[in-house]
Amino acid sequence: MVWGRRERPRTGGFSSARCSSRLDGLREAGAARAGRPFRAWGVGRGSALDWGRLEGAAAAVPIFRAARPHRAPATAAAMWRALAAAAAPARALLRAPPVRRAASLAVSPAAGPADERVETRVAGLSPGQPVTLRAVAADDRGCLFQSCAHYRADSRGELHLGTDASQGGDYTGVEPMGLFWSLAPAGMEKPYQRFVPRSTGAPMKVEVLVHQGHSPPGAMPGPVVAKAEVQRLFTAPGVRRIRLKEGVVRGSLFLPPGDGPFPGVIDMYGDEGGLIEFRSSLLATHGFAALSLPYFDFEDLPRVMKELKLEYFEEAARFLQRHPKVKGPGVGVIGTGKGAELGLSMITFLPEVVAAVSISGCSSNTVADLHYGEMTLPGLRFDMNKVSVSDTGVFDIFEALDDPTNPANSPCVIPIEKAEGHFLLVVGEDDRMWKSSLYAELAIRRLCQHGKENFELLSYPGAGHRIDPPSTPFCQAKATTIKEALARWEEKSGQKASEAKEVKLYGQVPPVEKMDGALSALVNCEKLSLSTNCIDRIANLNNLKKLRILSLGRNNIKNLNGLEAVADTLEELWISYNLIEKLRGIRVMKKLKILYMSNNLVKDWAEFVRLAELPLLEELVFVGNPLQEKFAADQNSWIEEATKRVPNLKKLDGTLVVKEEEEEGGEGGEGAQGAN
């Protein structure tokens, strides 16, 4: 069982003699032990818990070939017969053009475990043909998730996601499972949701489609040329699910098929509460007797996490240890976030627990006090004054948790040196929920100080807080800054942003939310693209003194304030698919010639007529606004009414505007035809 996403982890194994020096080089530790079999749960063949992310041209058919010199026919009839014979191949070719086979998409297996890789291949394309591969799925609440990636067919008109690199979309590079792990809420859905199955009995159905051309994330894709459905199973045939109500313990027990006995593991998640089963069901698929254990906000358990009693977890461990299908002598625990922290307490204080996998856990008790008999571990608290909230409603608590290294907080530290079992510590180095890398270092330092070597570390560059089974869709909650986007663009283009005339920052993953001060570096930029992000307002364009074209389509922009900074130079503004209802602020754009603002929210002529204040405006795309949709059945009336109010327009919604004098054949008519 290899559970992981993309990068191999940085790993660390330490002895007490070299602990201090190894801690200093923790992030540079080699990958020699990556994927090392973890046998603490008695799996005979070893189960590695490796967590993390995971134009040719067609040959032309000769129709006419050069004729060899020959003598002219003796008669006219013979001449015509010769000409007819020479033209016969061409006529046959015209009657029966070469048949191009239809494109096909194969995803195999069509149904299989949700944590296993699928092979995706496309055939029947033209050599070098650009296509967009797209995945679409809905969760059990009906929320739509989607992903896309740009590919180009090889010289045989084929694609293989296992070897061919994505050139754009939601990810780039060779990512065989990229369409699955990059599934994110569709544009009309609430952002920052995770695709987590509530029921493990039903498969996750994913439709994979192949579209003509390259369409960016969120854009209307091209025509479908092939499609296939894939079913991702969270419960293998023969796995039994038993709802548990044993004493005070609640949850679900998943048992693999067969007589057993099987290694037993308790599975817990974080402070979201409730019963989360999909990891337990996958563990059972891989041969573990897995108990999905909720500890608040489920059935008759406490609704909120005020305080916790370790006796509840002790009863769960004893139940699992004594189950006839479970192999002894002890059981393991796997947890994420608060669940990982509880796992560290369980292996420390409960003899039934002999192995613990801590994913993004803290080495101190947090939030809720933990009681065990006469002992109490107080919880570290969050300083709400240090919690920030982004414009999109994402809470950043990275700096808010009390410092566990402060001597005043030493009573909160879990004394993990007392544990006799084995620890596997798993962290993402880009965790913004809290400082899980630091907490792992503190745990290792404490173990080393007490002469312990019973641990292993997997540290994943670029990974965040939630590290789940492979190909599980993740939730990006950290926006890309302009500085980060510029660094990526410089690396990809080989140009310096401060010298470039054109800069493309569209479709960032995760998206850009703010036009921040880093834009001031673009002093030579004439064309800037920030489309397909999550920008809500225009800002920080003051230093872009040469900007002529600005692309801001497919964002969350609500007004045109901020454009005055480029009013003296901007000639083209592309701002379709936003949330603009009012056009106040447009009047300053005296150099603007082209305005693309389809699919916004303008609904009144009173706003539309503000465009007449732009003396050079010649081309306008306005389709999809409520005002234009009133004329959807009569395009001619729309053009007539719109050009009456903005008379300078020469092209509206892609249609050349023909004035009355032009229809009469004057010089203006020739000019219009020439413009076309």
Side-chain angles (χ1 to χ4, degrees):
M1 174 180 60
V2 179
W3 280 12
R5 242 195 73 224
R6 295 203 287 174
E7 297 98 341
R8 292 176 64 85
R10 299 183 177 130
T11 64
F14 305 88
S15 67
S16 56
R18 57 187 175 174
C19 184
S20 297
S21 60
R22 290 299 297 275
L23 275 174
D24 293 336
L26 186 64
R27 299 187 186 280
E28 286 73 39
R33 297 176 66 189
R36 169 184 174 181
F38 178 44
R39 301 175 182 270
W41 294 341
V43 183
R45 60 182 180 274
S47 295
L49 290 175
D50 178 15
W51 293 80
R53 307 194 319 175
L54 5 128
E55 257 171 78
V61 178
I63 297 179
F64 297 102
R65 295 195 173 106
R68 289 179 300 212
H70 61 282
R71 288 177 298 186
T75 66
M79 180 184 71
W80 286 112
R81 284 196 298 271
L83 285 172
R91 289 198 304 272
L93 189 62
L94 290 172
R95 285 195 302 268
V99 177
R100 194 174 114 197
R101 56 182 177 143
S104 63
L105 170 65
V107 185
S108 61
D115 59 345
E116 291 189 359
R117 173 174 162 172
V118 298
E119 297 292 327
T120 305
R121 298 175 183 269
V122 185
L125 301 172
S126 299
Q129 180 178 348
V131 291
T132 296
L133 265 68
R134 186 163 157 260
V136 182
D139 65 11
D140 45 18
R141 300 166 299 169
C143 180
L144 186 66
F145 290 76
Q146 63 182 10
S147 62
C148 74
H150 301 158
Y151 290 90
R152 194 173 289 274
D154 63 16
S155 59
R156 297 172 298 177
E158 297 178 354
L159 286 174
H160 179 209
L161 268 60
T163 56
D164 295 326
S166 167
Q167 300 173 357
D170 289 320
Y171 61 90
T172 57
V174 179
E175 295 287 352
M177 297 299 293
L179 287 174
F180 294 86
W181 60 251
S182 65
L183 280 167
M188 75 290 291
E189 304 289 356
K190 180 181 177 181
Y192 306 126
Q193 299 183 74
R194 298 185 69 251
F195 195 164
V196 177
R198 298 296 193 273
S199 170
T200 59
M204 180 177 79
K205 296 181 180 180
V206 181
E207 187 173 34
V208 182
L209 306 102
V210 182
H211 297 269
Q212 290 182 12
H214 287 168
S215 52
M220 183 67 69
V224 176
V225 298
K227 63 181 180 179
E229 184 179 272
V230 186
Q231 295 191 8
R232 308 285 284 164
L233 308 177
F234 291 92
T235 303
V239 170
R240 286 194 297 151
R241 173 180 178 268
I242 304 169
R243 283 299 295 271
L244 183 63
K245 203 164 188 177
E246 186 77 12
V248 298
V249 178
R250 303 291 176 263
S252 295
L253 176 63
F254 291 85
L255 295 174
D259 296 330
F262 309 104
V265 58
I266 295 173
D267 179 21
M268 297 180 293
Y269 273 89
D271 56 8
E272 59 265 65
L275 178 64
I276 301 176
E277 299 178 315
F278 76 98
R279 187 165 63 189
S280 295
S281 62
L282 288 172
L283 283 166
T285 298
H286 290 283
F288 290 87
L291 171 59
S292 179
L293 184 67
Y295 47 93
F296 76 101
D297 196 23
F298 180 72
E299 292 185 349
D300 56 354
L301 295 176
R303 304 308 297 174
V304 294
M305 190 172 54
K306 289 184 177 180
E307 60 179 10
L308 297 168
K309 294 184 177 180
L310 197 61
E311 285 84 357
Y312 172 80
F313 303 93
E314 183 177 43
E315 187 170 339
R318 288 176 177 174
F319 163 81
L320 188 62
Q321 182 194 36
R322 296 168 183 172
H323 195 282
K325 294 272 188 169
V326 173
K327 179 192 301 185
V331 298
V333 60
I334 180 171
T336 297
K338 179 65 180 180
E341 170 197 312
L342 288 167
L344 296 181
S345 293
M346 291 172 70
I347 193 174
T348 298
F349 297 110
L350 306 180
E352 295 84 1
V353 179
V354 297
V357 179
S358 168
I359 303 169
S360 305
C362 184
S363 51
S364 294
N365 187 51
T366 66
V367 183
D369 293 351
L370 180 66
H371 306 283
Y372 186 45
E374 300 297 323
M375 179 210 72
T376 296
L377 284 180
L380 293 175
R381 304 306 187 197
F382 283 95
D383 183 351
M384 299 308 295
N385 293 323
K386 296 181 179 179
V387 176
S388 62
V389 184
S390 73
D391 294 340
T392 51
V394 176
F395 283 76
D396 185 348
I397 61 174
F398 188 70
E399 299 289 348
L401 187 65
D402 288 345
D403 183 4
T405 64
N406 187 333
N409 294 322
S410 59
C412 304
V413 176
I414 303 169
I416 55 176
E417 69 279 1
K418 296 181 179 180
E420 297 299 327
H422 192 92
F423 297 93
L424 177 62
L425 307 174
V426 185
V427 297
E429 294 177 13
D430 200 25
D431 185 349
R432 293 295 301 176
M433 282 291 293
W434 60 15
K435 303 174 183 180
S436 54
S437 292
L438 170 64
Y439 304 151
E441 292 180 18
L442 294 176
I444 290 171
R445 183 175 293 121
R446 188 177 184 92
L447 290 170
C448 289
Q449 288 171 349
H450 290 83
K452 296 281 189 169
E453 300 182 20
N454 56 337
F455 59 87
E456 187 169 352
L457 171 70
L458 297 179
S459 183
Y460 288 91
H465 186 72
R466 284 292 289 265
I467 301 176
D468 275 331
S471 306
T472 300
F474 61 91
C475 174
Q476 288 276 15
K478 176 190 175 186
T480 297
T481 65
I482 293 292
K483 181 179 179 180
E484 292 169 338
L486 286 173
R488 294 176 190 170
W489 181 83
E490 287 182 331
E491 181 179 2
K492 183 177 180 179
S493 67
Q495 303 180 62
K496 289 185 178 180
S498 60
E499 301 174 358
K501 291 185 177 181
E502 181 176 356
V503 177
K504 300 177 181 179
L505 305 180
Y506 57 80
Q508 296 294 309
V509 180
V512 173
E513 293 182 356
K514 291 184 178 181
M515 297 175 64
D516 60 41
L519 288 171
S520 62
L522 306 181
V523 293
N524 288 297
C525 184
E526 297 179 8
K527 181 179 180 180
L528 172 62
S529 177
L530 279 163
S531 60
T532 317
N533 282 291
C534 289
I535 298 166
D536 62 352
R537 65 187 185 93
I538 302 169
N540 290 298
L541 296 175
N542 302 68
N543 272 26
L544 281 69
K545 303 298 186 183
K546 300 180 180 181
L547 191 66
R548 296 190 307 107
I549 303 174
L550 177 59
S551 174
L552 289 169
R554 299 187 182 277
N555 279 285
N556 299 318
I557 297 170
K558 299 177 178 63
N559 59 63
L560 297 174
N561 296 334
L563 287 173
E564 60 276 2
V566 290
D568 294 335
T569 59
L570 196 67
E571 298 175 4
E572 299 183 23
L573 177 61
W574 306 352
I575 200 162
S576 297
Y577 292 93
N578 276 281
L579 306 172
I580 299 168
E581 183 177 352
K582 306 292 184 182
L583 296 180
R584 285 191 297 269
I586 194 74
R587 63 184 303 172
V588 300
M589 310 305 298
K590 301 302 183 182
K591 297 290 184 68
L592 197 66
K593 297 178 181 179
I594 296 175
L595 175 60
Y596 299 149
M597 61 169 304
S598 70
N599 297 278
N600 276 277
L601 302 177
V602 181
K603 57 186 178 182
D604 299 322
W605 285 119
E607 294 300 322
F608 185 85
V609 295
R610 295 180 188 272
L611 299 177
E613 300 176 8
L614 305 178
L616 301 182
L617 185 65
E618 297 179 347
E619 183 175 342
L620 172 66
V621 176
F622 206 77
V623 66
N625 281 271
L627 177 61
Q628 183 274 335
E629 289 177 341
K630 296 176 183 178
F631 296 85
D634 190 352
Q635 177 71 2
N636 290 334
S637 294
W638 159 246
I639 293 176
E640 180 181 353
E641 293 295 327
T643 55
K644 186 187 303 181
R645 290 167 172 84
V646 187
N648 289 338
L649 289 177
K650 295 181 179 179
K651 186 180 286 188
L652 176 60
D653 293 339
T655 300
L656 194 67
V657 176
V658 180
K659 303 292 193 302
E660 290 184 4
E661 62 270 19
E662 295 169 357
E663 292 177 345
E664 294 171 1
E667 293 181 0
E670 295 178 5
Q673 292 172 3
N676 196 30

